[in-house]
Amino acid sequence: MKKKLLTGAVFLFGLGLGGATASASGGTQDGTSPGITPEMALCVAECKAAGGTHAVCWACCVNNICPVD
């Protein structure tokens, strides 16, 4: 239950950040706002649960800029 709650919170937080960044940057060329998918939110939650920082997890799961092990 706690893991589902954490995943949901991360998802909603990600949606808020995705919308804020899209509106600050003007969105995409066709005027739509890119959003975070449920898979991205789950990836961020699992990454953070494994000890990753929010910035590193977000960069890897959402922006596909992952550190090389």
Side-chain angles (χ1 to χ4, degrees):
M1 179 69 178
K2 193 174 188 180
K3 187 173 183 176
K4 287 183 181 180
L5 181 62
L6 175 65
T7 303
V10 169
F11 176 70
L12 291 175
F13 180 72
L15 279 178
L17 282 181
T21 350
S23 43
S25 66
T28 59
Q29 289 180 353
D30 64 355
T32 60
S33 298
I36 183 171
T37 66
E39 291 81 14
M40 289 175 183
L42 181 61
C43 176
V44 170
E46 289 174 350
C47 175
K48 288 175 72 174
T53 66
H54 177 76
V56 170
C57 294
W58 186 269
C60 186
C61 296
V62 178
N63 298 328
N64 293 320
I65 304 170
C66 303
V68 179
D69 290 332

